[in-house]
Amino acid sequence: MAQVLRGTVTDYPGFDAKADAETLRNAMKGLEYGSSLEDDVVGDTSGYYQRMLVVLLQANRDPDTAIDEARVEQDAQALFQAGELKWGTDEEKFITIFGTRSVSHLRRVFDKYMTISGFQIEETIDRETSGNLEQLLLAIVKSIRSIPAYLAETLYYAMKGAGTDDQTLIRVVVSRSETDLYNIRKEFRKNFATSLYSMIKGDTSGDYKKALLLLCGGEDD
């Protein structure tokens, strides 16, 4: 029975992402690190990239409630005005909306943005930003659209080509093995024409391979 259920457990009801982020910040204040996670981020980054990271660490995202279509329209228009319709880019507007609005609200905003502008929000980010900020904003959009799809892509590129990004492979497989790895497997199969199990099998070896395959939970035909 344990073998059947491995990797199929879903997030428990009432999961509090804000409390989870607070726990992580508090853990970073322990003797092992001697500083807070936010302090370290501020010390190692700068500019709008730093600002976006700090907003995410503060975990002040609105709770998921009933969608306010008027506010969806307002935010979509604000993003359009801050990017495509502006000489330069109002990065603060992107940071505020991406960092504080609820997940369900942002999904509707991205759809409305496409309707208003004729562009996917990813296209605008690509044109209007660059470097670390661009990569961070794109990662936020991908995770808002679908965390399993985003992590499936992360795993794929950790193994694609010469060499393997073992740290990323271990981090994602281990951390998601008892939450949503089954959903990640499905997205992996759908998007990359091979299974996560097969790719791990072909890219690793020895006991390391055996451990990852056990955590993976099975083949997806």
Side-chain angles (χ1 to χ4, degrees), residues 8-75:
T8 64
V9 182
T10 55
D11 292 339
Y12 62 85
F15 171 71
D16 189 340
K18 185 173 182 179
D20 199 47
E22 182 63 27
T23 299
L24 177 60
R25 287 201 302 272
N26 289 336
M28 284 287 292
K29 294 177 181 178
L31 293 176
E32 183 177 354
Y33 299 104
S35 62
S36 72
L37 178 56
E38 187 173 320
D39 287 343
D40 282 349
V41 167
V42 169
D44 287 347
T45 60
S46 61
Y48 291 116
Y49 176 57
Q50 177 194 93
R51 171 70 176 143
M52 185 75 257
L53 287 171
V54 169
V55 169
L56 292 173
L57 284 172
Q58 289 171 345
N60 288 324
R61 195 175 293 285
D62 297 335
D64 274 316
T65 55
I67 300 296
D68 182 342
E69 291 296 337
R71 196 180 185 206
V72 166
E73 174 86 22
Q74 179 182 345
D75 281 346

Side-chain angles (χ1 to χ4, degrees), residues 70-111:
R71 196 180 185 206
V72 166
E73 174 86 22
Q74 179 182 345
D75 281 346
Q77 289 283 2
L79 290 171
F80 193 31
Q81 295 286 341
E84 300 286 353
L85 296 185
K86 183 180 177 61
W87 181 259
T89 307
D90 184 354
E91 289 88 350
E92 282 290 350
K93 185 63 66 176
F94 280 82
I95 290 168
T96 298
I97 293 174
F98 279 34
T100 62
R101 305 298 194 259
S102 72
V103 170
S104 57
H105 175 87
L106 283 173
R107 286 174 181 159
R108 288 289 299 120
V109 168
F110 297 158
D111 290 342

Side-chain angles (χ1 to χ4, degrees), residues 37 45 47-48 62 130 138 181 210 219:
L37 178 56
T45 60
Y48 291 116
D62 297 335
S130 62
L138 289 173
L181 189 57
K210 292 177 184 177
E219 180 63 277

Side-chain angles (χ1 to χ4, degrees), residues 187-202:
E187 290 292 336
F188 196 101
R189 181 69 186 178
K190 180 177 73 176
N191 294 331
F192 301 110
T194 187
S195 69
L196 176 59
Y197 190 95
S198 294
M199 200 158 182
I200 290 173
K201 189 175 181 180

